[in-house]
Amino acid sequence: MASAASADRSRHAPAVPTAAVLGLTALLATSQLYGMIPLLGPAAAGWRTGAASLTWLVSAFGFGYAVGFLLFGPLSDRFGRRRVIVAGIAATAVTTGLVAAAPGPHAALALRVLQGLTTGAFPPVAMAYIAERVAPRHRLTTVTLLTTGFLSAAVVGQLVAQGLAAALGWRAFFAAGAAAFALLAAALARVLLPDEPRAGGSPLDAYRAMPPLLVRRDLLPLYLTTTTVLAAFVAIYTGLQLTGTTGLLELRASALPVILAVPFLASRLSRVPAPARLAPALAAAAAGVALVGLLHPGTLGLALLLMLVTAGIAVAVPTLIDTIGSRAGAARAPAVSLYSALLFAGASLGPQIAGALAAHGLAALGFALSALLAAGAAVPLVRPRTARTARSGRSGRRSRP
């Protein structure tokens, strides 16, 4: 019995260092998406182009990130979680350094796609690693720290980027990021447990499972909603940057307390069924961006409204994961991978929405984003007609005299 307990402990990762290094990596990884938003102006000035034309540098990373989610999750089933995570973060140190050295917008665009792709090796594989190698009593805490890192990157990434750009120029954010990724790759290699032997299944099996999930009647509405969530969130912050809104440092910082508070309210929120949480959360975010456009508030009012938007988004993101995962059943892993990819594909559309509407002012952007979020809240409430319902209807019609 003692030897069995010892063997079981050897399979479990050390709780504190694992949670710390995974949480820091999550924060740094997703900061590479949001950090580009405050750098649009400085980069445009350096390259003598318009800031709106550089919104593709935000989108390019997001698209690469989304593809990385789909690509590396199944590959880690074959080659091992630790191997894929460490290799992906080490590669990201290189691609992030290349972005810092980009000679012009076109090169930067290609490099941002590549940077997003390599960074995408981390999130889905880290979640799988936690499920397999972290002891059950530490699992919830570790997942909470990981997701808090992902969510807080929306604020921390922008604040750090804005500060470094003001002091050292916009390239400093990526140069510092490259050094940080290199250090984290070494830390991950030291902390993560060696990969266990794995069966030689083909990753193609996981890839083949994904397309049918996209057309399942119980999942399709949720996937459509998923694309709206970060699209609106990224668009409002990009719009604030493009319209020259004052007090951006304070506005970005105001959302951080909300992001940090939501994970600690998870136990209370979980008492409410996931579908009942989703629509009110997105409706609150929709109301927030609509009021931004309607009221044209000052810095304090805008900060309060952005806190409302952030709270709605921060509740909606894990709620969608819960709902999709529970409906997918045995296909949970590919279903959640698809969710993550669509979430960040939507985030990639946000800068383009902002770029198209910012010239018309925050009112036009706020109303458009409100409509987008309201549609996202309404789509899951529409119940598709199931096959059983259709057959019942046909049977009823045939029984009529």
Side-chain angles (χ1 to χ4, degrees):
M1 291 176 62
S3 62
S6 176
D8 186 60
R9 284 195 299 272
S10 70
R11 292 187 65 253
H12 290 152
V16 174
T18 299
V21 74
L22 291 179
L24 285 172
T25 307
L27 175 63
L28 181 62
T30 310
S31 289
Q32 300 305 303
L33 171 70
Y34 296 102
M36 191 67 227
I37 296 173
L39 302 180
L40 293 175
W47 284 325
R48 297 182 180 179
T49 186
S53 67
L54 295 186
T55 55
W56 280 106
L57 294 180
V58 185
S59 300
F61 178 91
F63 285 127
Y65 201 33
V67 172
F69 274 58
L70 298 178
L71 177 64
F72 291 109
L75 285 179
S76 72
D77 292 337
R78 176 69 177 85
F79 296 107
R81 314 297 188 201
R82 179 181 181 271
R83 186 177 290 113
V84 170
I85 288 174
V86 173
I89 294 302
T92 302
V94 176
T95 57
T96 305
L98 290 174
V99 173
H106 294 96
L109 187 66
L111 291 170
R112 283 283 284 171
V113 174
L114 186 61
Q115 184 198 21
L117 182 66
T118 58
T119 310
F122 175 73
V125 186
M127 294 295 288
Y129 179 88
I130 292 169
E132 294 172 356
R133 307 308 297 270
V134 174
R137 66 182 182 278
H138 299 305
R139 202 168 289 158
L140 178 60
T141 301
T142 306
V143 170
T144 298
L145 286 174
L146 186 75
T147 55
T148 299
F150 288 135
L151 290 172
S152 59
V155 177
V156 174
Q158 293 187 70
L159 292 175
V160 171
Q162 184 175 343
L164 286 174
L168 301 170
W170 71 268
R171 295 178 189 270
F173 175 73
F174 296 106
F181 277 121
L183 291 173
L184 283 171
L188 288 162
R190 183 177 180 83
V191 170
L192 299 185
L193 298 179
D195 293 315
E196 295 179 323
R198 292 181 174 273
S202 172
L204 291 176
D205 293 337
Y207 299 138
R208 293 190 190 102
M210 292 180 186
L213 294 172
L214 283 173
V215 295
R216 272 182 47 173
R217 292 183 176 182
D218 57 338
L219 294 178
L220 177 59
L222 296 172
Y223 284 139
L224 291 173
T225 295
T226 296
T227 61
T228 70
V229 175
L230 287 189
F233 189 63
V234 174
I236 191 62
Y237 278 102
T238 306
L240 294 173
Q241 179 74 33
L242 294 178
T243 55
T245 303
T246 58
L248 284 175
L249 183 65
E250 294 81 2
L251 293 175
R252 288 173 176 133
S254 67
L256 188 58
V258 176
I259 288 175
L260 294 177
V262 167
F264 294 100
L265 298 174
S267 60
R268 292 188 177 184
L269 291 172
S270 64
R271 298 172 188 170
V272 181
R277 295 198 307 268
L278 181 59
L282 290 178
V289 289
L291 289 172
V292 168
L294 181 65
L295 300 178
H296 300 283
T299 301
L300 178 59
L302 192 52
L304 293 174
L305 290 175
L306 288 175
M307 291 175 72
L308 176 62
V309 174
T310 301
I313 298 300
V315 171
V317 167
T319 299
L320 279 164
I321 295 177
D322 289 346
T323 310
I324 289 172
S326 63
R327 290 188 184 183
R332 178 184 178 89
V336 172
S337 292
L338 271 175
Y339 157 81
S340 302
L342 290 170
L343 186 71
F344 283 96
S348 302
L349 297 175
Q352 305 314 311
I353 296 171
L357 295 175
H360 303 288
L362 269 182
L365 180 61
F367 295 147
L369 296 181
S370 179
L372 181 66
L373 287 168
V379 166
L381 300 178
V382 178
R383 295 184 176 274
R385 196 180 184 204
T386 64
R388 179 179 296 178
T389 302
R391 287 194 300 269
S392 175
R394 287 194 298 268
S395 175
R397 287 193 297 272
R398 284 197 299 267
S399 65
R400 289 174 187 171

